[in-house]
Amino acid sequence: MTKPIIITDPDTDRYHTFGYISWWQQETVRQATVLVVGAGALGNEVLKNLALMGIGQILIADFDTIEDSNLSRSVLFRATDRGKRKVDVAAERVKELNPDVRVKPWHGNINYEMGLGVFRHVDAIIGCLDNREARLSLNRFSWAVNRPWVDGAIQELMGIVRVFWPGQGACYECTLTDLDYQIINLRYSCPLLARQNILQGKVPTTPTSASIVAGFQTQEALKLIHGMEVQPGKAILINGLTNDIYTTEYPVKAGCMSHATLDPIVELPEATAESTTVAELLAIARDKLGAEAILEFDSELVLSMTCPECGTETAVFRRMARLYESDAQCPHCHNQMDMNLTHRITGHEPFLHYTLAQLDIPPLAIIRARNHQQSLYLELTGDCHTFLTFT
Ligand SMILES: [Zn+2]
Ligand SMILES: [Zn+2]
């Protein structure tokens, strides 16, 4: 890769020094959209790097708030930020570092709350996560929409950096051991997922390992943005105690559950979660697949709950994964209520006039439509204009 070297004025161009790097394309960097999942120790360092390099659009996803214990590893946070959402503070500080960068903070849990289509519409995904559940989700999402992602993990003075690319080498799930699955299943053993309990067992980390690993992660994302070669399915292992850095290649696991890509994905530029009704989406499905087509969700939707003791019935319309155990308690007699679930729309539902948002479907969701022979995947692409806006 060669390009004419354009030497700008160091007095007025903050990216002056990058102009000397033969392959660096500042315009490509400026036009890139990067999703950073997690705004903790790694996320702070990654965001700092992305801002300094002049990445044009950054989507920051996290569901956490700032506490004092974050301050020892989070360059973007201050003591006065205690209690604020990590994404909001990080977005503000990124813009302070570089006003050229446009940011969108998104406060939520990517495991259940972000539309799958979001992952299709970014140039690079960087996972700055501290638990297996979220990594597994991110891995399955990236496979589903055929996008690479960069994982980072730290513990004390050690770190791992990995690029996973669907169809090229091992994926994150290929690397999981039986023990990893046991740890994940422990947390899912309750029928109503107790999200409060996810990762209470914290791993000790340092600002040095965070900056080292985040540095590698950002570089891998930079290579992805430039279309340069990366090494999917390989890990960079960094041992800060012995100063050993080496790479290792994971074997692809036969029958790995993550290896599923949605195909074909049909973009619906007019459809949005807020404005499109269930009936309208079903009509689109039937237009493409015939009158027997149905819609299928990837998780259970709780329509209502009924108390077996006192008969109290309440409408819910929330995905089960987003409910807490306390949500299933009868408000009158405090018994556990029975859930009326569905995950498919056949055209006979009394709520066909509801919008998709009223059925707890997030913006840019991808919903499966199928008949007896084939499936296709309908993306609420119309949400791009509102969801993927950066300021
Ligand atoms: Zn795999
Ligand atoms: Zn009751």
Side-chain angles (χ1 to χ4, degrees), residues 307 309-312 330 332-335:
C307 177
E309 288 298 314
C310 72
T312 297
C330 175
H332 299 296
C333 65
H334 305 291
N335 266 292

